[in-house]
Amino acid sequence: MANQNGIDSLQMFTSKAEAVSCVVSQAASMSQVFDYVVDVCDKREACQLLIPGCEEALSQKAAGLCEAKRAKVVAAPNLSKRDFGSLKKKCEEKGILCIDEGMRDREHLAGIDIGLAVCQVGIADTGTVVLDSDSEEVRLSSMVSEVFVAVVDRKDIFADAFAAEKAVNRLILKNSSYTAFITGASRTSDIERVLALGVHGPLEMHVVILDKKNKKAGA
Amino acid sequence: MQQAKDLKTYREELGEAIDNTFLHNTMDKFARAYPQGRENAFTGLDPQALIAEVVESKDSAIGRMEELYQEFKKNAEAAGVQVHLARTAAEATDIITRIAREEGCSRVVKSKSMTAEEVRLSRHLAGEGMDITEADLGEWIIQLRHEGPSHMVLPAIHLSRDQVAELFSEVTGALQSNDIEKLVKVARRELRVKFAEGDMGVSGANFCLADSGTIGFVTNEGNARLLTTLPRVHVALMGLDKVVPNLHEALKVLRVLPRNATGQAITSYVTWIHGPVECKAARNDRKIFHIVFLDNGRTTLAKDPLFSQILRCVRCGACANVCPVFRMVGGHHFGHIYVGAIGLIFTYFFHGRDNAKNLVKNCINCQACKSVCAAGIDLPRLRRWSRAFRTRRATNWTPGC
Ligand code: SF4
């Protein structure tokens, strides 16, 4: 608890998240976060318009769901109106579709490129982010995206789960709630114990640590 | 699943398992890799001290299981959840079938749950004409092969990539290579459709927080997040032993469980659900949420001075990972439904002495399981006792069905 919010927690968080293959970076503003997201999305190769797995030989039904996708998509359902507007503008400049709802539509369920969510808590000793997922759109966008980008404020990073307990309880104890600890991409070792990422959810996870006091940070 | 009628048949089956080279190599590799992974995960921590905290926490919760259950029920109901208590395995499957009928569900998507295995839920729902899909990759594979899990955490550890490729070729009607990454992607696509079409999601739970009526579960694949989100109905099934007073006590277990199970500091996902959340496929945009608790002898067990400690089990699978007999023969011959050292004892209590009679002979009393158990259970000692019960019939205990 002593090092809550300190340099130690930040370093610990970064190294633990990287240990589970997260890409960790820092940003001094939401605008920098959005540049980062657009950049990651833009760099995804054109062939990745094809949804992961869709190049494989599939049953007719599964292949049917593959045909749904038409453009690169970024979903960011839990931003403020203003922030969403500025992300959307940056996306549109690159021809990327930016949405904050409609995740249940068949074409999005099949898979979107990037899900972006602002998380409420970080837990340093496991490299975990805690995401208020009460909204269905938030749950789905953080699951059906190929790349999940989590933003967490540096001041919300706690040393360990016990230090974060109060903050987590605040999320859980709402009248009805869905709270997610997320640590790295979706993974499995079910075939011959070989690690494979993206079995159901994201194939990649990125964490951007927001530090508004750090003017030098650049994601 | 081990179900040889007599010791002779059982020994023959064991012989076959020992001759299976793939199984042998896989189990050997796993037995060597596991201790290293576990040690790494506990670096800088004192595993025995953390386990001692789990023991204390779980013992205290088991001591007031009934009271905690009542508290959980009150709080969950206040949040809008329907809470059920099943005395037996059959009652549990009946309750869940009834829920499915009343809600008009026929397409069920399910995540991995040992409690669901304990009551044979999938077999039952399929028998009722429902279309049920196991969404955990390993569980899906063994479901397609009509097999039971051979390990609590790695249910398909007995299979090779070639066998999976062959299986997926059949399922998709298209030839699949044995490239694991590709096979995983094929499963991703095939199962995504099932999530999209499912009308009922069935999950287990690792924790039930009495002070709020919240359930918590750990997963790596994230399948449980999709199946508690997309279908309009969610049914969670768990044993009464999963109730803990609050988040704080659950976090003590969470600190040990993934480290002991898979050598991870934490699983990719830990999910906490409190009350019916938003679900745009449901009436009024609210999920229909049922929680079913299974007793199946747990209330009686909780009062037993010696055996109550088995209710501490957090299903990490470590007692199988370090067992030299498990390493030789694999899970299908070393358990009925529950596998490993704890499986020998659980089988006796939850699935009856007949199913346990051959299994308990497997223990060579090496004590490896005792030293690795996430919940500090004295497995060898209990195994000796359950064997004594079997031979002398010196118990008035009535095992579950
Ligand atoms: S008995 Fe102990 S080691 Fe075995 S699964 Fe349960 S908690 Fe893990």
Side-chain angles (χ1 to χ4, degrees), chain B residues 152 260 312-320 341-342 346 369 372-377 379:
Chain B
M152 282 204 245
N260 223 45
R312 287 182 206 148
C313 173
V314 299
R315 315 287 193 267
C316 70
C319 55
I342 191 69
F346 274 168
C369 50
V372 83
C373 175
I377 303 173
L379 292 152

Side-chain angles (χ1 to χ4, degrees), chain A residues 51-54 56-59 61-62 65-66 104 109-111 126 128 133-137 139-140 142-146 161-162 165 168-169 172-194 196-203, chain B residues 22 30 33 79 135-138 141 154 157 159-161 164 172 174 176 180 182 184-186 188-193 195-197 212 214 220-223 225-226 228-230 247-248 251-252 255 264-274 276-281 286:
Chain A
I51 303 163
C54 286
E56 309 300 342
L58 299 173
S59 69
K61 221 172 182 183
L65 199 58
C66 282
R104 231 179 223 280
L109 269 193
T126 49
T128 301
S133 310
D134 297 358
S135 143
E136 178 180 291
E137 304 286 354
R139 260 175 277 151
L140 288 175
S142 60
M143 272 314 281
V144 305
S145 48
E146 317 304 353
F162 292 98
E165 195 179 312
V168 173
N169 254 329
I172 288 179
L173 292 174
K174 283 171 292 176
N175 241 346
S176 66
S177 66
Y178 195 114
T179 308
F181 288 16
I182 305 176
T183 314
S186 153
R187 58 184 60 218
T188 186
S189 320
D190 273 350
I191 305 178
E192 290 193 16
R193 291 182 44 252
V194 175
L197 297 178
V199 53
H200 289 297
L203 292 93
Chain B
F22 171 77
F30 181 42
D136 172 88
L137 176 60
I141 293 170
L154 297 157
I157 189 174
L159 296 172
S160 72
R161 64 189 81 190
V164 177
T172 56
Q176 304 292 345
I180 291 182
K182 286 188 172 197
V184 168
K185 297 266 162 61
V186 169
R188 175 185 175 93
R189 300 297 351 143
E190 298 290 335
L191 287 166
R192 185 67 63 87
V193 183
F195 292 115
E197 290 177 345
S212 58
T214 301
N220 272 315
E221 299 188 359
N223 55 319
R225 298 184 75 215
L226 282 169
T228 54
T229 296
L230 286 165
L247 178 67
H248 187 76
L251 290 178
K252 290 183 185 169
R255 196 164 46 177
Q264 291 174 282
I266 193 167
T267 48
S268 299
Y269 301 104
V270 183
T271 304
W272 308 94
I273 307 179
H274 176 216
V277 282
E278 181 188 46
C279 175
K280 289 181 179 166
R286 282 284 133 190

Side-chain angles (χ1 to χ4, degrees), chain B residues 14 33 61 99 102 108 125 147 158 160 174 176 180 189-190 193 197 202 205 244 264 287 296 308 354 359 373:
Chain B
L14 290 183
I99 296 168
E102 281 169 8
V108 182
L125 291 180
E147 288 177 338
H158 59 288
S160 72
Q176 304 292 345
I180 291 182
R189 300 297 351 143
E190 298 290 335
V193 183
E197 290 177 345
V202 175
V244 294
Q264 291 174 282
K287 178 82 75 185
N296 202 21
S308 63
D354 265 3
L359 292 174
C373 175

